[in-house]
Amino acid sequence: MARLFWMTLAVLLLVTSALPAQAIGNRAKQRKLTDTQTLFTKAMRWGEFDQAWGVVDPKVRESRALSALELSRYEQVEITGYSEIGSMSEPDDVVVRVIEMRVVNRNTMAERILRVRERWHWDDAAEQWWLQDGLPDLWQGQ
């Protein structure tokens, strides 16, 4: 009976010792996502669009490089609100976050409220979360 007890205890310890490593990895990945999204949110909120651009997936930055004209358009607006409405996980380490943004045109002082979907994906090689969509379209066709 004692032998069965010790064998069961040993198996339980072995199984539970493997769980924290997986949980720690997931927690670290989640913490990196939160940190990256916070950095992006602060950069957008404070009008540091070049810093926000640095969180965009390098492949997207390469294929859709911002021109000086496009960057100057971003400097004509001020983000007065940036609130997460919700988020959901998708397969293949993708997280979608829905944002409500309040955008003020500095020239007209008119405020608009926009809904933006951000798609974030995990890059195993870089051990980094990247924004897949580029900077949000603050003009939405205007």
Side-chain angles (χ1 to χ4, degrees):
M1 191 69 151
R3 185 175 184 193
L4 180 61
F5 171 77
W6 288 111
M7 285 179 59
T8 305
L9 182 62
V11 169
L12 283 174
L13 286 173
L14 186 62
V15 169
T16 57
S17 68
L19 290 177
Q22 177 69 18
I24 289 169
N26 287 339
R27 273 188 260 142
K29 206 173 184 181
Q30 182 63 39
R31 190 172 27 258
K32 272 197 165 192
L33 175 63
T34 301
D35 292 348
T36 303
Q37 287 176 335
T38 300
L39 173 75
F40 182 77
T41 299
K42 285 180 180 179
M44 291 294 292
R45 183 68 180 83
W46 293 106
E48 297 170 352
F49 299 107
D50 52 343
Q51 185 177 1
W53 184 244
V55 180
V56 173
D57 188 317
K59 295 172 192 166
V60 174
R61 283 186 299 202
E62 187 177 314
S63 67
R64 291 190 237 158
L66 284 179
S67 68
L69 176 64
E70 289 171 311
L71 196 52
S72 72
R73 279 191 84 193
Y74 280 99
E75 293 169 1
Q76 293 176 13
V77 297
E78 181 175 340
I79 310 298
T80 58
Y82 199 95
S83 304
E84 181 177 324
I85 295 172
S87 66
M88 67 181 124
S89 296
E90 292 185 347
D92 301 325
D93 284 331
V94 173
V95 174
V96 176
R97 184 167 82 148
V98 179
I99 302 295
E100 180 179 276
M101 294 177 66
R102 295 179 171 274
V103 181
V104 173
N105 181 316
R106 292 177 194 238
N107 298 321
T108 64
M109 296 307 292
E111 182 181 55
R112 289 176 314 194
I113 299 173
L114 307 172
R115 290 247 170 134
V116 177
R117 287 176 51 99
E118 299 173 351
R119 290 178 52 82
W120 297 86
H121 77 94
W122 176 253
D123 181 347
D124 279 325
E127 294 186 357
Q128 174 69 41
W129 287 93
W130 298 113
L131 181 60
Q132 286 182 295
D133 305 317
L135 294 182
D137 178 4
L138 303 180
W139 302 271
Q140 296 188 351
Q142 296 180 6

